[in-house]
Amino acid sequence: MSGGHGSLSRTVHIRQRLQRTQRVCFRLREAPALVTANNMTLIIGLLGCSLLLSAQALYSSSDDVIELTPSNFNKEVLQSDSLWLVEFYAPWCGHCKSLTPEWKKAATALKGVVKVGAVDADQHKSLGGQYGIKGFPTIKLFGANKNKPEDYQGGRTSQAIVDGALNALKSLVKDRLSGKSGGSSYSKQSGGGSTQDVVELTDDNFDKLVLGGDDIWMVEFFAPWCGHCKSLEPEWAAAASSVKEQTKGRVKLGAVDATVHQVLASRYGIRGFPTIKIFRKGDDAEDYQGGRSRGDIINTALDLFSDNAPAPELIEIVNEEALKKTCEDSQLCVIAVLPHILDTGASGRNSYLDVMRNMAEKYKKKMWGWLWTEAGAQMELESALGIGGFGYPAMAAINTRKMKFALLRGSFSEAGIHEFLRSQRRRSMTSVMWTWTKTWAKTSYEPKPGLDLDWSRSGSLGLLSPVDEWEAGTCRY
C-alpha cells in the first residue's frame, strides 16, 4: 500500500519538475535575439525544450481527435447537433497516456458518425472545473442536452469506446424520433421544457419564488430580439445546471422576458439587455458585475452560496459514520483530539470547541469537514495519526483525496490554527500509512460535550467496514 503512495508522490514530483522546465522553455522561446553562432548552449536548450513540449502533448492536429479549448468548446461542442465524446486528461497522467492510442483508434473509427474530442484539463483548468473534473482521465458524453453531459461508464479499449458511443447515438436518434428535444434553453424561441434548470420568471410568480423564498437568485432580464442575450443563453443555461448541482439548489438562476413582463422590468429599472440582478433574502436587488461566461457566472454563484451559507457543523466522532461521511465528503478534514473533560472541566472543553467553531466559520467557503474527539476515545485513530498518549489538544488536517495529513505543531488557538491551515499550501503533507481500507477499532457512545462529568461508553467495540480505494484507472489531483 505504501508503494502506491510513493508512486503518487513521485508522480506529483515529476509533474512539478515538468512545469518548472516548461517555464524555462517559454522564457527561452521569448528571447530568440540571444541565439548566436557562438551560443550553442542556448541553441541546444531551445531544441531540447521543443522536443519536451511536443512530447508532452498527447494529441496533434494529424489525429482524428479534436483538440478542445475554452475558446472553441462552445462553438464545437455546445452549439453542435452532433453527439460528442470528450476526454478530459492531463499530460502527466499515466492512465491518460495508456488511453491515448485507444482514444485515437476510436476517433478514427467514429469519424463522420460521432465527434471525439480531448481537453487538456491540466492546462485549461477553468473548462475542467465547469464539469466537475476531479480525476484523469474523465470521459463525458455530450448528447441531446449539451448542458447536462453524462459520464461515460464503459471500458477503455477502442472497441468498448466505439460500442458506448454507438449505443449513445442510438438512444439519441430514438429520442429524436419520439419528439424528445432534450434541450434546456429557457427562451421561448428555443422551446425549453419543464425540466429546464433556468427558472422562467413572470409578473405572476416572481414575488413568490424570488422574494418569498430563502434561496439566492441570479436573474437575467432579457429580450428575445437581443443579440447579446442570445449569446448569453447557452452560458446561462449551462451555469444554471452546474450551480444547481453544486449548491444543492440553494442558488437558482432565473430569466425574465422583460418585453413581456414589463411590470418587473420597470420595478427594477431595466434599461438594457441583458441585465443581471442578484436577489438575497432581506436585501435590495444588486447589479451583477461579473463576466458573462459560464465560468464567471458559476464562480459568482458559488461565492454567493459560501457567503450566505452557515458554518459547517462541528461533529463529534462518536461512530464510524460520523468520521467516514464527513471526511469522504470534504477535500480537507480537520480533526481535533481534545483533553479528557476531567482534565479541563466544562469551561475548558467548551473553550476548545469555541475555537473550532470560530475556525469553521472563518474557513466555511472551503467547505471542509470539522470533527473532534476526546483523548482516549478513538485510540486507533490517534495511533494512525501519530497523536496518541500525550500532547492534548492535538489537531490533524487530512486530505483524503491525496491520502496525506499534517499535524498542528503550534498553539491550539485561532491564530495558531489559521497559520497551520494556511501553511499547508506551502508545505508537503505526510503520506498516510493507512487508507480507508484499513479497519479502525472504534467505540460508539452518546455525544455529551461540555458536561462536568465522565460518562461510560455504551455500545460494543466494532470495526469500520472496508471502503473501496480510489477508482481503478483514475489519476487523482
Side-chain angles (χ1 to χ4, degrees), residues 249-318:
R250 296 303 305 275
V251 179
K252 292 181 168 60
L253 270 64
V256 175
D257 184 343
T259 64
V260 175
H261 306 290
Q262 297 181 11
V263 173
L264 277 176
S266 177
R267 184 198 298 182
Y268 294 105
I270 305 303
R271 296 287 182 267
F273 307 112
T275 294
I276 300 172
K277 298 274 187 181
I278 296 170
F279 295 85
R280 291 185 263 202
K281 185 176 183 179
D283 294 339
D284 293 334
E286 53 188 286
D287 291 328
Y288 169 74
Q289 303 290 352
R292 292 184 179 178
S293 71
R294 69 195 62 191
D296 293 327
I297 297 165
I298 291 169
N299 289 336
T300 298
L302 294 180
D303 284 342
L304 289 169
F305 174 69
S306 298
D307 289 341
N308 291 270
E313 182 183 1
L314 178 58
I315 299 172
E316 183 179 2
I317 305 174
V318 295

Side-chain angles (χ1 to χ4, degrees), residues 36 43 45 162 166 195 197 229 259 272 285 346 350 369 405 429 440 474:
T36 66
I43 294 174
V162 169
L166 293 179
T195 60
D197 291 321
C229 302
T259 64
N350 288 329
F405 75 96
M429 288 182 164
W440 292 342
T474 298

